[in-house]
Amino acid sequence: MGNRRSVQPLPFLPLLLLLLARLSQLWAFPFSPSLDLDVTPRTTVFSKGLLGSARFTGSSQNYSTLLLEEEARLLYVGGRGALYALSASNIATPANLTIDWDASPEQRKQCLNKGRDNQTECYNHIRFLQRYNGTHLYVCGTNAFRPLCAYIDAERFGFSSGFEEGRDRCPYDPAKGYTGLLVDGEMFTASQYEFRSSPDVRRNFPFPTLRTEEAPTRWLLEAEFVGSVLLRESINSSVGDDDKIYFFFTERSQEQIAYPSQTKVSRVARVCKTDWGGQRTLQRKWTSFLKARMVCSVPEYELHLNILRSVFVLQGRDAQSSIFYGVFGLEWKNIKASAICQYAFSDVQKVFEGPYMEVQDSKWREYTGKVPEPRPGSCITDLHRSQGINSSRDLPDNVLTFARRHPLMASQVHPIGVRPLLFKRSVNYVKIAVHKEPALDGNIYTVLFLGTAYSSGSLDEVASLPTDDGWLHRAVDIDGEMHIIEELQLFDRLQPIESMVISSALRSIYVGSRSGVVQVPMSACQRYTSCYDCVFARDPFCGWDGRVCVEISSRAQRSNLTQDILRGIRGCRENSGNVVHRRRSVMSGDDVLLQCELRSNLATPRWTLNGKELQGYDLGSGYRIGTDGLLIIGARAQQSGSYRCFAVENSVSVLVYLYTPH
Ligand SMILES: *[C@@H]1O[C@H](CO)[C@@H](O)[C@H](O)[C@H]1NC(C)=O
Ligand SMILES: *[C@@H]1O[C@H](CO)[C@@H](O)[C@H](O)[C@H]1NC(C)=O
Ligand SMILES: *[C@@H]1O[C@H](CO)[C@@H](O)[C@H](O)[C@H]1NC(C)=O
Ligand SMILES: *[C@@H]1O[C@H](CO)[C@@H](O)[C@H](O)[C@H]1NC(C)=O
């Protein structure tokens, strides 16, 4: 159990050697004073031990698009060739609504004729599913390499119109990085839509459609998009600012970077919502597109995690106080490692207000010359309006020409604390959701839900052990240190997690994969069977009531509950653990294994014989202490008696097994 999964990378690229050398440093020093570099999940829960979960499996596969509407308690699911409306309270409830929407046989034939893969590509994969207005949803599917979109009447859950051309809104390729938002009847998407086209950030409607620029400066280079968010920065803005849409992606780096072995960088880009494009320059192009590099590094090991796999935005009371979490990996897909970095939006905004980069002698350098007024790339504010500039179309040509050539900021966005919140080797996290939970001590704890897959792409799976497919890790930030409470196996048949949404109101996580959707409660306190187990878990949701471990939120009266998130030791009476009694005689000359299974991967075993401590590592002792029990080799007469096994966790010793002679 526990940390049994180790990675054995097969380095075939010389480039990897440098990195491997660095990683081996990490292996050698698993604990640094500031960042635990390989946090072990406290407990491992296999799929048969999942409590309170619900499953949905329709007739399709690839449940890759989820839309949660908390107030209506509905979870809309987009799969391959079908859409479902499920009860978010319990997704297993029957009488679900379904829309079958597969590609026509004719379209599938054309797709096959184009040489596409008939197992994956020549189907209708739902890629976009969002609320359009009070009565309708909007959906786009790949439709066997000929994307289509349509409106859905949410109430009767059926198409309300004919299909619309989806070519400019939805990628052809079901696996291509893609993100999009529908806000106030306007559609914003980002992807590399067609096979040969350049990646693009678009406003698809209303008219005029807007795009990114390709010449003389390419604004995007082989970008793989992972997420987007709208921040309503116009609300209470003292300068009459506009709302903005932020896009998150990884792209090929254009600028010189300090780590020559890496070719990609993680980015955040933003556009202003009421951008109308320019009049002559930047016609039908964004006038407000800016992008910046996002850094997620372990500085003392010069380890730079440059591939952004997923983001989660925790919206604050206002845009300034919003926080976003990024899941990062390494460029080499056969080395598994993940880092979670946490960023403040106020830091992102500062970078966009800072210096620009510019191409000089075909190299990107910080631009130190004069910047035209009003500041290029900014939204239209009161300052603009006071100068008679009411929309982006009124912007002067010199400002737009500058914006066209300066999409990249010189400063980088660094994470809060200048280091990852969590680094984990030998695991590929691919999805993240974040929740804030108040605990008994009055603190509000940040709980991360992290979904795993063996690989973020399709490259080589050789070095990857399939055991990481489809696990959910629950982790809590305790004073800047991450504690992984548990790892949960979500599916019997291992498969990567394809989608994930969280509902704080319904206290559930919804996870989509190839074979179905699973709804997992945010906590399952009844899994902790003793006071020690409940308290050692340091699970902010759970407290011991004297008899059982309960969800704190379920109790109005909390004064009798025990919980110790900060240290995980206080509150349990001596011997309130569950002790397993066994009768077992140790006969002279026998080899005997006395079992002692520890529930926690963080616990170590301690043994006594007739109350005296046993030293298992002393070769002459005749004992071996392992993770599964105590081995007595060639027992002698003085080795008979009463054996006790204690689980030592957080420096507290708890009796778990007691062996007495017949
Ligand atoms: C869809 O699921 C199948 C297996 O059921 C898998 O082979 C394929 O890669 C998945 N497609 C996508 C786009 O994830
Ligand atoms: C896909 O192609 C393979 C081999 O060409 C063929 O055996 C199989 O029947 C096809 N599957 C479908 C669903 O068309
Ligand atoms: C929502 O949009 C649909 C499709 O354009 C339209 O038919 C419907 O009347 C709209 N509903 C509302 C409440 O505006
Ligand atoms: C901007 O709006 C103001 C007030 O409505 C108007 O007086 C002015 O002419 C407008 N400027 C342009 C360039 O359209």
Side-chain angles (χ1 to χ4, degrees):
M1 311 250 289
N3 45 0
R4 72 267 90 136
R5 301 201 293 266
S6 66
V7 72
Q8 259 133 32
L10 305 175
F12 51 83
L13 293 167
L15 272 181
L16 292 181
L17 293 176
L18 181 76
L19 184 84
L20 283 173
R22 274 187 207 145
L23 284 175
S24 63
Q25 279 183 303
L26 301 188
W27 285 200
F29 303 104
F31 297 98
S32 89
S34 45
L35 181 68
D36 185 346
L37 286 170
D38 199 14
V39 184
T40 302
R42 180 176 178 272
T43 54
T44 305
V45 179
F46 292 96
S47 58
K48 53 186 180 300
L50 277 189
L51 296 175
S53 62
R55 282 173 200 282
F56 170 78
T57 302
S59 55
S60 63
Q61 301 181 28
N62 305 113
Y63 298 83
S64 53
T65 306
L66 303 177
L67 169 65
L68 179 70
E69 297 202 330
E70 280 183 327
E71 271 168 36
R73 301 205 162 208
L74 282 172
L75 179 71
Y76 295 103
V77 179
R80 193 181 84 177
L83 292 147
Y84 308 91
L86 311 178
S87 159
S89 310
N90 180 357
I91 62 166
T93 313
N96 303 305
L97 299 167
T98 303
I99 299 174
D100 288 311
W101 182 24
D102 219 336
S104 66
E106 175 57 26
Q107 189 50 46
R108 293 206 57 198
K109 221 171 105 198
Q110 283 185 23
C111 179
L112 296 176
N113 290 345
K114 282 185 215 156
R116 312 309 318 187
D117 184 342
N118 75 349
Q119 294 302 311
T120 56
E121 295 172 323
C122 295
Y123 288 94
N124 186 30
H125 289 267
I126 307 303
R127 297 295 315 269
F128 189 93
L129 179 58
Q130 288 189 20
R131 174 63 62 172
Y132 177 69
N133 62 17
T135 53
H136 285 70
L137 308 176
Y138 193 67
V139 62
C140 298
T142 59
N143 189 40
F145 262 66
R146 193 169 172 276
L148 290 178
C149 300
Y151 294 92
I152 292 173
D153 178 334
E155 186 150 0
R156 63 175 176 86
F157 203 57
F159 290 120
S160 74
S161 63
F163 294 111
E164 296 183 345
E165 178 60 62
R167 201 173 44 190
D168 294 331
R169 304 174 182 182
C170 172
Y172 287 50
D173 180 344
K176 197 79 209 163
Y178 174 54
T179 182
L181 290 175
L182 256 182
V183 280
D184 310 329
E186 302 181 4
M187 188 187 198
F188 301 84
T189 59
S191 188
Q192 183 187 334
Y193 299 85
E194 287 177 57
F195 190 52
R196 281 189 195 79
S197 66
S198 304
D200 199 3
V201 171
R202 293 179 182 168
R203 182 172 69 209
N204 309 87
F205 54 77
F207 188 81
T209 56
L210 292 185
R211 298 186 167 204
T212 50
E213 184 64 287
E214 292 188 27
T217 304
R218 260 182 208 280
W219 290 359
L220 295 165
L221 209 60
E222 297 169 30
E224 273 286 309
F225 292 89
V226 300
S228 52
V229 66
L230 165 78
L231 289 190
R232 300 257 184 212
E233 292 175 50
S234 66
I235 296 174
N236 298 329
S237 168
S238 57
V239 296
D241 204 350
D242 193 2
D243 294 336
K244 299 187 188 76
I245 294 145
Y246 292 82
F247 294 90
F248 302 93
F249 55 102
T250 304
E251 69 171 348
R252 177 170 288 279
S253 66
Q254 296 149 293
E255 70 269 34
Q256 300 282 101
I257 44 175
Y259 335 110
S261 54
Q262 297 187 342
T263 63
K264 298 182 180 178
V265 284
S266 299
R267 301 262 197 229
V268 52
R270 71 106 167 100
V271 295
C272 304
K273 183 162 166 282
T274 46
D275 196 337
W276 284 86
Q279 189 70 266
R280 284 187 303 277
T281 309
L282 291 180
Q283 207 179 58
R284 301 232 187 148
K285 300 281 162 65
W286 299 104
T287 65
S288 59
F289 179 92
L290 292 174
K291 66 177 182 181
R293 181 159 164 235
M294 280 161 55
V295 179
C296 184
S297 303
V298 186
E300 56 269 53
Y301 299 106
E302 283 182 50
L303 192 62
H304 308 284
L305 292 108
N306 59 332
I307 307 295
L308 181 62
R309 297 197 189 120
S310 181
V311 288
F312 183 87
V313 178
L314 201 60
Q315 301 226 10
R317 225 169 287 124
D318 51 25
Q320 313 297 321
S321 59
S322 294
I323 301 281
F324 73 97
Y325 297 82
V327 179
F328 292 83
L330 292 163
E331 195 164 337
W332 302 283
K333 288 191 173 121
N334 60 336
I335 299 182
K336 292 207 273 187
S338 302
I340 312 299
C341 275
Q342 184 187 17
Y343 304 84
F345 258 102
S346 51
D347 289 339
V348 175
Q349 287 161 336
K350 268 183 224 130
V351 168
F352 286 132
E353 285 158 14
Y356 303 86
M357 294 285 263
E358 184 180 79
V359 184
Q360 297 162 6
D361 312 325
S362 62
K363 279 208 174 104
W364 284 87
R365 299 213 165 93
E366 181 171 338
Y367 175 77
T368 51
K370 202 167 165 329
V371 175
E373 287 285 332
R375 187 180 160 84
S378 59
C379 302
I380 302 301
T381 63
D382 291 341
L383 177 74
H384 294 80
R385 285 182 278 267
S386 73
Q387 297 167 3
I389 300 168
N390 298 343
S391 103
S392 59
R393 293 212 185 129
D394 305 328
L395 285 166
D397 260 337
N398 66 323
V399 166
L400 294 180
T401 306
F402 187 95
R404 196 176 177 198
R405 289 176 176 273
H406 301 85
L408 178 62
M409 308 316 299
S411 306
Q412 299 165 357
V413 184
H414 290 278
I416 297 170
V418 208
R419 58 178 54 251
L421 203 54
L422 173 68
F423 178 85
K424 186 126 180 70
R425 65 181 176 91
S426 70
V427 163
N428 276 341
Y429 292 131
V430 290
K431 294 288 172 209
I432 180 170
V434 182
H435 170 80
K436 297 271 190 184
E437 182 70 10
L440 280 184
D441 60 15
N443 294 328
I444 294 175
Y445 289 93
T446 303
V447 182
L448 308 185
F449 297 88
L450 300 160
T452 73
Y454 54 83
S455 161
S456 55
S458 55
L459 251 184
D460 90 304
E461 291 162 26
V462 183
S464 309
L465 302 175
T467 44
D468 284 338
D469 288 356
W471 289 74
L472 183 71
H473 290 197
R474 291 174 66 229
V476 56
D477 180 350
I478 301 173
D479 257 359
E481 302 269 329
M482 290 309 296
H483 166 64
I484 303 180
I485 300 166
E486 58 188 355
E487 53 182 348
L488 308 170
Q489 185 192 358
L490 297 184
F491 305 97
D492 295 334
R493 258 185 33 237
L494 301 169
Q495 53 199 295
I497 283 172
E498 296 192 1
S499 52
M500 180 152 106
V501 292
I502 186 169
S503 168
S504 290
L506 300 172
R507 301 185 82 74
S508 290
I509 322 293
Y510 306 86
V511 178
S513 73
R514 282 174 184 172
S515 72
V517 185
V518 57
Q519 174 184 6
V520 187
M522 278 187 177
S523 58
C525 303
Q526 68 270 39
R527 211 157 31 225
Y528 307 121
T529 53
S530 70
C531 180
Y532 286 117
D533 203 17
C534 185
V535 169
F536 286 174
R538 307 168 83 184
D539 190 328
F541 295 88
C542 304
W544 184 257
D545 79 347
R547 285 184 317 112
V548 282
C549 192
V550 295
E551 259 72 19
I552 285 170
S553 61
S554 71
R555 296 291 169 99
Q557 173 59 262
R558 294 176 186 176
S559 57
N560 67 333
L561 297 181
T562 300
Q563 186 190 55
D564 181 12
I565 306 299
L566 287 177
R567 295 195 296 154
I569 50 176
R570 278 172 306 196
C572 295
R573 271 178 296 110
E574 197 73 29
N575 291 331
S576 56
N578 293 344
V579 182
V580 179
H581 273 266
R582 294 254 168 92
R583 293 199 164 273
R584 182 74 189 261
S585 292
V586 176
M587 309 282 266
S588 204
D590 278 359
D591 289 345
V592 180
L593 177 70
L594 300 180
Q595 267 190 343
C596 182
E597 278 167 26
L598 304 182
R599 266 185 52 78
S600 166
N601 301 320
L602 304 180
T604 49
R606 196 193 116 214
W607 286 87
T608 62
L609 168 57
N610 300 327
K612 261 191 69 205
E613 206 76 21
L614 290 185
Q615 301 300 334
Y617 308 103
D618 174 2
L619 277 175
S621 69
Y623 294 107
R624 295 286 177 279
I625 296 177
T627 49
D628 50 351
L630 175 75
L631 185 63
I632 307 167
I633 306 148
R636 284 160 291 170
Q638 66 268 33
Q639 286 177 312
S640 68
S642 155
Y643 284 86
R644 283 180 166 79
C645 175
F646 297 85
V648 184
E649 188 170 3
N650 304 338
S651 311
V652 179
S653 206
V654 180
L655 179 63
V656 282
Y657 275 77
L658 171 60
Y659 288 91
T660 45
H662 280 295

